[in-house]
Amino acid sequence: LDAELDRELNLDHAGRFCRRRSSKSMHAATDSLLSERADVSFAVRTLPGRGRGIVAVRDIAPGEQLASFASFSHTMHDFEDVSYSYPHGESLSEACSACLCWSAAAQPLRCEGCASAWCSPKCRSWSQEKGHALCCAGLSRIHSMKSRKFSPRERSTACFLLRAFAQRASEANHRHSQPALDGEPSFEQATAQCQQVARSGASASSAARIVRLAKLQAGRLVDEADALRLVGAEACNSFHLFDERERVRGSAMYPEAAMINHSCLPNCVMTAHGRHLALESISPISRGEELTYCYVRSFEAGSKETLDPWGFECDCVRCAGTHPEGGEGLEAFDAKHKCTCGKIVKATMARVAAESGRCRCHAHNTTSG
């Protein structure tokens, strides 16, 4: 088995994962970002019945910090939308447009052309290097639109596209002079995640409107074919952005983190730190075992909890009722790792939530501003 796994993962003598150089791999761009990590504990593998997933290339102990995934592009839900409603008169914190950390006060540095704001000169400089000037005017026009021809969701996703294509243009301009910032995915690596998705008539129409809106604001910047692919990938490869009070305020695309498959009884958790997601093991993981993360915060619908958002029914031991220790084993796991919000988290975070009586999953994700 070890010899077979070595061949599958193409391990070198040091035990590190080496990406196979195959022109046939449509996902080589995304895989390469994983293989470039200095201390790789896992690798991408095609898993029967589960598509691509991530498996351990060594034995992993509980509590190991395995990776920090950077976001590719993001969008904020700044538009009036009943699905993101808050108590009347409640003030909202503001996120830095670069590091995505929250501040109860307004961010100190503001863009003169659009609604973007930053917590520090470093973050403002980072956005400029990622092509903010190329999409600034388009973002402003979308935010100031009075027409209801486009839904809040469509306007929000169009902003995601403008930031993404601005990054691509910036990458082309600095291809030979500027290294990647903080290990963030490139446009190429993000689009490598895009699968051809069968769309209903309503979904296809909405995707076309989103791309049309983005092109209306920055026609030369946005490629229609790539934009449609990104819209298809954005929903399935993005994670909600929660503010410090656990309100959904936006979303960000994580091409690497999205390759981790779901389980309602996962062996890993992810914790947001600004625009990065930290991956940590919470149980022993054997070499060759798949790394999993829980996508949901409720198990009331069982295996169907994952059906509508992600298009599959979960078949983990919780949903199948095959846990070796039965209900007692599940209760013990939930007592140790389930936050008051329903999210599966590391034990220290679950304990803090239990002691305070409220979710603290993102309370740390703030700036001093």
Side-chain angles (χ1 to χ4, degrees), residues 38-71:
D39 180 24
V40 176
S41 303
F42 50 84
V44 181
R45 189 182 186 188
T46 300
L47 303 170
R50 293 175 65 83
R52 287 196 310 162
I54 291 179
V55 299
V57 299
R58 63 173 178 83
D59 292 339
I60 297 172
E64 288 196 43
Q65 301 287 333
L66 301 176
S68 178
F69 301 118
S71 64

Side-chain angles (χ1 to χ4, degrees), residues 110-142:
R110 314 199 66 81
C111 179
E112 296 180 358
C114 69
S116 298
W118 303 278
C119 66
S120 68
K122 179 181 179 180
C123 280
R124 179 171 59 185
S125 176
W126 186 91
S127 287
Q128 291 169 344
E129 291 173 353
K130 301 301 292 182
H132 176 74
L134 300 174
C135 63
C136 177
L139 293 173
S140 178
R141 286 191 290 269
I142 291 176

